[in-house]
Structure formats: C-alpha cells, structure tokens
Amino acid sequence: TLHPSLVAGANKGKLAALSTVASWASKSKRSRHNTGPGRNGLHYSTYKATIRRSGACVSASAGEINMNQELCNPMEKEFSADWQRIMDSSIKAFLAASETQVIELCASLDKQLAAALVESRVGQNRLHSLRTAAGRSRAKAIKNAFQEMKTVATNCQRDLNRSLLPKIRDRMGDSYDAAMGAPGGKGVFRRMDAAMQDRSGAAVDSMFNEATKDLVDAVGKLIQNLAAMIAALSATIQKAMEGVFSMLWEDQANDEVSNDPEQQKLVRNCRDALLPSFAEISQSSRIVLDMLEMTWSWTFLLSIVSSKSSGSSRPPRLRWVFL
C-alpha cells in the first residue's frame, strides 16, 4: 500500500531536483521573508557558505537555507499522507488484531488446561484461585509486551520519517564538493553553478530510487521485528502460567515421595546410617571446644604472671596469644 506513493514521490523529486539546483544560482534572489520557486537565488557569498556546510546554512539576508530539504520536499509531500495513514492506522491495527488473537488463544488454552486439571481431581476452589492468579499474571505480561511493541513501532516510524533528508544530503556531497572545487577568478560563480548542476544530474538519477527502496525495506524489517516480538511473547506467557500452576505438579511430586513406602524406607535407612556419624561429629566438636577453652585460660594466666614477675610498677598488661 505504501510502495506506490513512495515511487510517485521519488519520480516527482527526480523531476523537480535539477530545476531546484539551478534556482540556487538564479538572478532572482531570495530574501529573509520572500522565497519560492521563482525567487530562490542566492548571492555568491551565501551560496558558497551554504555548500561549504553540506547544503545547510543560516544567512542574515536570506534566512535559513537547507538545499537538501528543498530537494526532499516534492517527494515527502507526495507520500506523507499515505505514510502517516499507514504507519499510524495500519501498524496500530496490526498490533491490536495480534493482541486480540493472543488473548483468545490464551483463553482457549486456559479452558483446556482447566479441563485437564479437573480430570486430575484438582479441587474446584483451588482451581478457580489458580486460574484467577494465572489470568492476572498472563494479562499483565501481554499488556506490557504489546505496549513495548507500540513504542518500538512509534520510534521506528519517527526515525524513518526523518531518514530521507540525511540520505539526500549524503548523496549530494559530491555535488557540493565539485562546486567548491571550481577554479576561482572572474566567472567563478557561473563555474560553481555548472559544476553543481553537472554532478547533481548523476546523483538525482539514483538517489530518490535508493531512498524509496531503503524506506520500503525498513518498513518490512519493522514488521518482521514486531512479528518476532509477538512470537517471543509465547515464552513470557508460558513462564507466567507456570509460575502459578507449577505448584500443582510440585505438590504432587512431594506427595508421591512422602506416601511411597519404598521412599519412606530409604529415608529411614539413610537417617539411621548417619546417626553414628552425627554423634561422633558432635563429640569431636565438644572436645575441640574444651581444648580451646583450656588453652585460652592458661594463656591468659601466664600472661598475667609474666607481667607481675617483671617487677614493673605499671599495671599488668595482658598479652593475648592465639594458638
């Protein structure tokens, strides 16, 4: 839907480009408050200052000048209405429809899961509370995911809407360089204009078509990115539901272990086998603690005696020795 308007815009931009380039050196000079197709010429000094700055300059006499934007205007004017309509309404409609489908699929899954759990003898009250909790968690995950997708689409649309101008500026770089490289002296302005028009003719043939292709490819990548985000949402939904329902099979596993006579026998045997080791460890710990307490006491007393036997009039100092 978007491609025809982009192609038509590229054709209009191509047809108007060379006359726009020629108008910059025309004798009908623009002013700060008066500019247009028939009054778009620049004085030599302003022309040179503008192309030196890659086609964009602010002049005291001519006001703000942007040669690249003037080349973009015919193309942007042609496709801007369709662009806004498609990127706003169609992308939003695509995401809204996808969100509705995901919610419907989850509702169907919830019913199937509930039926299977009823067959597994899960109580109705417990099942109701689990379904309610899972529904809230799932709804929050879906809402957050699609809100992120809308943000991605909006940011991409804004970036794409601004992408034409830098593409034209880059492709016009050789034209600006050629004009700046014109030989000086008498008639330099005429030579600059001739170099600009000659080099721009080669750029114009391809730059609008390339810009169209880049825009269409970028929109296709956006759709693929959104589709991948929708597909990845399945893992998020699964995690949200498992976080609620997994307690059922975890409880079942624990009940099976606790009620299995063989498992209970193994647990008892393991406990009985470990009891002597636990007793030995406990006894060893008490012996070690007693030894440490005795060592600390003797060290403390010897430190005091050593200090007192030195004959010093100063109060005894305690020397702490750790063994």
Side-chain angles (χ1 to χ4, degrees):
T1 305
L2 184 61
H3 189 262
S5 61
L6 286 172
V7 172
N11 291 333
K12 285 193 174 183
K14 189 187 302 184
L15 291 173
L18 291 181
S19 60
T20 301
V21 171
S23 70
W24 298 331
S26 68
K27 294 181 179 181
S28 300
K29 308 301 181 186
R30 72 174 76 180
S31 66
R32 191 178 188 86
H33 305 291
N34 191 356
T35 184
R39 193 179 178 88
N40 204 36
L42 299 170
H43 293 284
Y44 165 71
S45 58
T46 306
Y47 185 94
K48 185 175 182 180
T50 303
I51 62 175
R52 183 188 291 123
R53 293 169 176 80
S54 300
C57 181
V58 178
S59 167
S61 60
E64 184 175 354
I65 305 165
N66 194 327
M67 295 176 171
N68 306 302
Q69 186 60 58
E70 291 176 24
L71 293 172
C72 290
N73 285 338
M75 181 175 180
E76 288 184 344
K77 184 178 180 180
E78 178 66 25
F79 76 79
S80 59
D82 284 343
W83 176 270
Q84 198 70 25
R85 175 177 57 83
I86 293 168
M87 295 299 288
D88 281 348
S89 61
S90 297
I91 294 293
K92 289 179 181 177
F94 164 70
L95 290 176
S98 299
E99 185 173 4
T100 299
Q101 290 178 9
V102 169
I103 293 173
E104 291 175 352
L105 285 169
C106 288
S108 175
L109 171 64
D110 182 67
K111 291 180 180 179
Q112 296 177 40
L113 184 59
L117 292 174
V118 168
E119 292 181 3
S120 300
R121 299 180 182 179
V122 176
Q124 289 289 347
N125 292 335
R126 189 180 189 189
L127 180 58
H128 175 73
S129 63
L130 289 175
R131 291 181 67 183
T132 301
R136 285 197 298 264
S137 178
R138 183 178 65 235
K140 183 178 179 180
I142 295 172
K143 180 180 178 180
N144 291 342
F146 276 94
Q147 185 58 50
E148 182 182 0
M149 295 176 207
K150 292 174 185 176
T151 301
V152 168
T154 300
N155 293 339
C156 183
Q157 176 184 352
R158 183 185 62 243
D159 294 341
L160 289 178
N161 204 23
R162 299 172 179 173
S163 65
L164 181 59
L165 180 61
K167 292 180 187 299
I168 299 301
R169 182 189 61 220
D170 293 343
R171 290 302 309 273
M172 286 294 294
D174 290 342
S175 302
Y176 300 144
D177 292 340
M180 285 298 300
K186 186 177 180 180
V188 61
F189 194 11
R190 178 175 51 80
R191 289 189 292 273
M192 291 175 69
D193 175 43
M196 171 76 82
Q197 293 194 49
D198 180 64
R199 194 61 61 89
S200 297
V204 164
D205 283 339
S206 59
M207 65 182 183
F208 290 104
N209 291 335
E210 290 176 357
T212 297
K213 183 179 182 303
D214 290 343
L215 284 171
V216 172
D217 290 346
V219 174
K221 289 179 181 178
L222 169 62
I223 299 299
Q224 292 175 4
N225 188 20
L226 294 175
M229 294 177 72
I230 294 172
L233 178 58
S234 61
T236 304
I237 294 173
Q238 178 183 349
K239 184 177 180 181
M241 296 186 70
E242 280 186 347
V244 177
F245 285 107
S246 61
M247 64 178 65
L248 291 175
W249 43 86
E250 288 174 357
D251 291 347
Q252 184 181 7
N254 292 333
D255 291 342
E256 290 175 355
V257 172
S258 61
N259 296 327
D260 187 358
E262 292 297 328
Q263 291 289 340
Q264 292 178 356
K265 182 179 179 180
L266 290 174
V267 171
R268 285 195 300 270
N269 292 340
C270 180
R271 180 195 60 190
D272 295 341
L274 289 174
L275 283 176
S277 299
F278 286 144
E280 184 178 350
I281 292 172
S282 178
Q283 180 65 22
S284 300
S285 299
R286 283 195 292 271
I287 293 173
V288 171
L289 289 174
D290 291 342
M291 292 176 63
L292 288 174
E293 184 177 356
M294 291 175 61
T295 303
W296 176 267
S297 300
W298 278 106
T299 304
F300 178 77
L301 292 174
L302 288 174
S303 299
I304 295 176
V305 171
S306 174
S307 177
K308 288 184 175 180
S309 64
S310 63
S312 173
S313 60
R314 296 180 180 179
R317 290 185 302 171
L318 302 183
R319 293 186 294 112
W320 301 92
V321 180
F322 296 92
L323 302 179

